[in-house]
Amino acid sequence: MMHLDIITPEKNVYSGEVEMVNLPGSDGSFGILKDHAPIVSTLKEGEIKVVEAGGEKTFPVKGGVVEVNNNKVIVLAE
């Protein structure tokens, strides 16, 4: 499992343990699983898909940045 935080200027939209995250990267969508290599990437408008133990959730974003390090995923979204 990984820890995911999705943060906007207004509020913390999501915080929890997830199995996988799909993100709308500037160069195309990509997924992040446990033990992913450290990465920083920009995001374009689209949907963040979160896979938890209990199911899936989606969050719309207008853009932003994602940082992955040591099974912690931080999304700063617009």
Side-chain angles (χ1 to χ4, degrees), residues 2-76:
M2 302 177 293
H3 187 80
L4 170 66
D5 286 312
I6 301 175
I7 303 165
T8 68
E10 293 82 37
K11 62 181 179 173
N12 191 337
V13 176
Y14 181 91
S15 183
E17 298 298 311
V18 300
E19 294 177 3
M20 185 178 83
V21 184
N22 270 333
L23 299 154
S26 298
D27 295 329
S29 64
F30 62 97
I32 296 173
L33 296 166
K34 184 176 184 291
D35 296 327
H36 194 287
I39 184 177
V40 174
S41 178
T42 55
L43 303 176
K44 65 180 181 184
E45 188 167 353
E47 279 191 342
I48 298 172
K49 186 170 121 182
V50 177
V51 179
E52 307 172 303
E56 294 182 2
K57 292 182 178 171
T58 58
F59 301 92
V61 292
K62 292 188 172 86
V65 177
V66 61
E67 179 184 4
V68 180
N69 199 4
N70 294 326
N71 289 319
K72 185 167 173 74
V73 182
I74 300 171
V75 178
L76 302 175

